[in-house]
Amino acid sequence: MSHAVSEVNTPAPSRRSPAPRGTASPWASLAVLSSGLLMTIIDGNIVTVAMPAIQADLGFSAAGLAWVVNAYLIAFGGLLLLVGRLGDLVGRKRMFVTGLGLFTLASVLCGVATDQGVLVAARALQGVGGAMTSAVVLGMLVALFPEPRERARAIAVFSAVGAAGGALGTFLGGALTEALNWHWIFLINLPIGAVALVAAVRVLDNDRGSGLGQGADYPGAALITGALMLTVYTIVTAAEHSTAVTVVLSVGALLLYAAFALRQARAKKPLLRLRLFRSRVLTGANAVQMLMIAGMYGFQYIGALYLQRVLGFGELRTGVAFLPAPIAIGVLMLGLSAKVIGRFGAHRTLLAGLALITSGLALLGRLPADGSYVLDVLPAMLLLGAGFAAAMPAVTGLAMGAAEEEDAGLASGLFNTTQVVGGSLGLAILTTLAASRTESLTGRGADALAATADGYRLAFWVAAGIAAAGLALAAAILRPSRDGQ
């Protein structure tokens, strides 16, 4: 099945009756959904800056410290597809509210943790709650805004909140850790989560879902959850394992995916309808997003390392230095993105955004060891912000508009899953390349600072190549057909 891609698409009519609308404004509901997204996005970034403080306080080894992040990513990325589908079956509001409550509770457990095992377990629980909250949000959003132009505006707002959360997390991580201690990077979620939870219960419309009997394929659920968790685990621990172990783990994940596909093809009530992937728009948009996010993660992570290790910025100063990007993203998304998509179409807007992202990453590929934030980093940061402001709402609208209403939760979970996998894969590749390059140069007697900067330059050039691949794929796969279908 093909779909129009000249604008943000409207899902095909549902085969079941829509849930009755409540009295709340769709924009009030969007505010509640955005608050849940903001909390999970902030949490995903706030931990990075506080890692040294956590390590010093709880005595983590270097390998053990990685699990403060990995435990969250594995649970989050592994469950997104499953809970997205379950949201279609049991009701998306129920899934969102339950996930929000679980995430808030787990945040408190993280904040009061005084033991390594407790913190890692609580982080995994956060991942479960974050997956439940995030997986159904886009499905709820497309139901709230069926009209294409209004949906484009809503997606622009939603995307701006997500972008702001990333930089705000980096800033808050440095500020709270320096002013108080690392425990508060988690405890801050308690008041935010409590307010969001009350608002979600009162504002969001009830939806019954189609019922567990319509798609409760438990063997299939076990297979896809295991496959995704093994995929994320393989990616985030690749640096710790030999090539042979990584290959074995990758083959194991592929076998689980194959078993899941066979199960879904034969099951009477499959968890995931494989026809969903027949849409070139939905499949292509997810693939493009994976490449785009993989490249952008290079900027966020490697860029922070460059500021700290090469330019000598502290934690708080690094957080402040990243603020221009989300400000640019927020201003452009809220003021221009929806209008540009409405005027030129989602496909052209996406291509322009990806071109800007590729240019920004390539510009970072020339960062010198004695660079200047204002002259060398900030211009690239603004290019990346402008590119992301154009590309993210466009690719989101394409992916979600290609799904029927009854599959919106699953499509939302799939879209979020590709973000996690793309980000994790990009981060693993880029950090490994940067470290290998630096080690190779220092081993040959190069200056440590110059070698470190050279490693980061290589990572940025590879990130630019990944973004360029996304641009080429978008141009080839997401091009509108002549008949607009």
Side-chain angles (χ1 to χ4, degrees):
M1 182 186 298
S2 60
H3 300 263
V5 295
S6 60
E7 61 182 17
V8 178
N9 302 312
T10 303
S14 172
R15 294 191 180 94
R16 56 187 173 89
S17 299
R21 292 288 305 157
T23 58
S25 161
W27 294 99
S29 298
L30 175 62
V32 173
L33 297 176
S34 297
S35 67
L37 171 74
L38 182 64
M39 189 166 66
T40 55
I41 293 292
I42 286 176
D43 188 82
N45 290 271
I46 203 171
V47 177
T48 305
V49 181
M51 293 285 270
I54 294 174
Q55 183 177 22
D57 188 26
L58 299 185
F60 276 102
S61 64
L65 184 65
W67 282 98
V68 176
V69 175
N70 293 347
Y72 179 90
L73 285 177
I74 292 170
F76 184 84
L79 291 172
L80 277 169
L81 200 58
L82 170 60
V83 296
R85 181 56 180 160
L86 290 178
D88 291 331
L89 302 179
V90 305
R92 293 169 201 148
K93 176 182 177 179
R94 181 180 301 175
M95 184 65 68
F96 179 83
V97 169
T98 303
L100 199 58
L102 183 60
F103 185 89
T104 304
L105 174 62
S107 296
V108 174
L109 294 177
C110 288
V112 300
T114 57
D115 175 80
Q116 295 181 14
V118 172
L119 179 58
V120 171
R123 285 287 287 163
L125 192 62
Q126 266 192 318
V128 176
M132 295 172 69
T133 301
S134 302
V136 296
V137 168
L138 287 173
M140 299 172 77
L141 189 150
V142 296
L144 285 168
F145 299 93
E147 197 276 321
R149 290 187 181 274
E150 285 292 290
R151 182 186 300 167
R153 288 178 56 201
I155 288 177
V157 172
F158 187 76
S159 300
V161 169
L168 187 58
T170 304
F171 172 75
L172 286 176
L176 290 173
T177 302
E178 286 192 9
L180 299 169
N181 56 59
W182 68 265
H183 295 275
W184 284 96
I185 69 173
F186 299 112
L187 293 176
I188 195 175
N189 286 334
L190 178 58
I192 299 174
V195 172
L197 191 59
V198 172
V201 172
R202 293 173 62 90
V203 173
L204 297 180
D205 293 323
N206 293 314
D207 61 314
R208 297 180 179 179
S210 58
L212 284 174
Q214 298 300 313
D217 176 22
Y218 297 109
L223 287 170
I224 190 58
T225 301
L228 287 170
M229 284 188 169
L230 185 56
T231 298
V232 178
Y233 172 81
T234 302
I235 292 171
V236 299
T237 62
E240 303 173 17
H241 297 143
S242 66
T243 302
V245 171
T246 300
V247 169
V248 170
L249 292 174
S250 300
V251 171
L254 290 174
L255 290 175
L256 287 174
Y257 283 122
F260 172 73
L262 290 174
R263 170 70 188 179
Q264 298 312 285
R266 298 176 180 179
K268 293 182 179 180
K269 296 178 179 179
L271 179 73
L272 190 161
R273 298 180 180 92
L274 296 181
R275 62 174 171 76
L276 191 70
F277 296 99
R278 295 174 186 170
S279 167
R280 67 177 175 85
V281 176
L282 185 144
T283 303
N286 275 279
V288 168
Q289 183 203 211
M290 183 179 293
L291 293 170
M292 179 180 73
I293 295 297
M296 285 294 293
Y297 258 57
F299 157 66
Q300 187 168 332
Y301 188 80
I302 303 295
L305 291 178
Y306 175 82
L307 292 176
Q308 291 180 312
R309 296 181 178 177
V310 178
L311 298 189
F313 282 26
E315 295 170 345
L316 181 57
R317 192 180 177 191
T318 298
V320 173
F322 268 84
L323 289 180
I327 291 174
I329 290 171
V331 170
L332 292 173
M333 278 186 177
L334 297 178
L336 290 175
S337 290
K339 294 179 182 178
V340 172
I341 291 173
R343 173 68 177 83
F344 298 103
H347 181 243
R348 291 179 180 176
T349 304
L350 175 60
L351 295 182
L354 288 171
L356 289 173
I357 290 173
T358 303
S359 300
L361 290 170
L363 192 60
L364 290 172
R366 52 168 293 280
L367 288 176
D370 57 349
S372 162
Y373 168 75
V374 174
L375 297 178
D376 298 309
V377 179
L378 185 58
M381 185 180 292
L382 294 177
L383 275 177
L384 291 169
F388 192 80
M392 194 62 190
V395 77
T396 302
L398 290 171
M400 294 306 301
E404 295 184 3
E405 197 276 336
E406 63 183 3
D407 291 325
L410 176 61
S412 176
L414 177 63
F415 192 75
N416 281 284
T417 299
T418 59
Q419 284 190 12
V420 175
V421 173
S424 300
L425 185 60
L427 195 58
I429 292 173
L430 298 177
T431 54
T432 300
L433 286 173
S436 298
R437 176 65 172 170
T438 298
E439 290 177 6
S440 174
L441 290 174
T442 53
R444 298 201 298 264
D447 175 73
L449 187 64
T452 300
D454 197 276
Y456 295 154
R457 284 196 295 271
L458 174 62
F460 282 128
W461 277 116
V462 173
I466 293 173
L471 174 61
L473 185 63
I477 302 297
L478 300 181
R479 181 177 52 199
S481 57
R482 292 183 178 179
D483 60 0
Q485 300 294 321

